[in-house]
Amino acid sequence: PGPRGPPPAASQPAAPALEIDREKTCPLLMRVFPKQGGHHKLEDFTDRAKLPDEIAIYTWMDADLRELSDLIKEANPAARARNARMSFAFVYPDRKGRNVMRQVGVVHATRPGEDDTKTLRSLNFQTGDYLDVSIY
């Protein structure tokens, strides 16, 4: 009989993450739409008057969800609650021009979690996408 256990892992090393020199790289403008109690409806993104709570954040592609949550806490008092958690979703147009929402992670206000270190680059964020944040 053959060896037991899972097959051996591939011997190719993982591609190194590209370092961003924040002193030399211009940040991108991210439009963030926080909402307490749930995510916005997709239809809200077609009529910006329904989104009065926009926050503009300048950041880089190596920013992680924990860093973004800290920036949102500065602007949104509900996000500062001790037991708050933030659910992040990207909103962007599909190939037919209709907005779609993709959940990308959850960050808890006071305790570390597995989504904290997910970066915008690793989540395939593209300049021009919106960030919808549900605060619970």
Side-chain angles (χ1 to χ4, degrees):
R4 294 181 181 222
S11 61
Q12 295 179 349
L18 294 175
E19 290 265 338
I20 292 179
D21 183 348
R22 291 186 175 195
E23 294 292 321
K24 296 180 181 177
T25 304
C26 184
L28 59 94
L29 174 64
M30 176 183 280
R31 298 178 69 185
V32 181
F33 299 93
K35 181 180 176 190
Q36 194 165 358
H39 285 283
H40 290 91
K41 297 176 187 164
L42 281 175
E43 303 84 54
D44 294 345
F45 289 92
T46 58
D47 181 6
R48 303 263 164 56
K50 294 181 180 178
L51 299 169
D53 49 0
E54 178 178 355
I55 301 171
I57 294 178
Y58 287 95
T59 191
W60 293 266
M61 291 297 284
D62 65 347
D64 59 30
L65 295 183
R66 172 61 65 186
E67 180 180 345
L68 294 174
S69 72
D70 291 341
L71 293 170
I72 292 166
K73 285 179 193 177
E74 291 177 18
N76 189 305
R80 295 183 207 133
R82 187 170 160 75
N83 60 347
R85 60 183 183 166
M86 289 179 245
S87 173
F88 294 86
F90 294 155
V91 178
Y92 54 91
D94 66 7
R95 291 185 180 165
K96 296 179 181 177
R98 292 183 300 237
N99 282 335
V100 295
M101 184 179 289
R102 180 170 60 96
Q103 305 283 333
V104 294
V106 175
V107 172
H108 296 269
T110 56
R111 61 187 161 132
E114 63 184 40
D115 294 341
D116 290 9
T117 58
K118 291 181 178 179
T119 65
L120 293 175
R121 176 180 286 123
S122 70
L123 295 169
N124 296 318
F125 177 83
Q126 294 183 15
T127 303
D129 291 354
Y130 299 138
L131 181 63
D132 189 57
V133 181
S134 174
I135 302 169
Y136 295 98

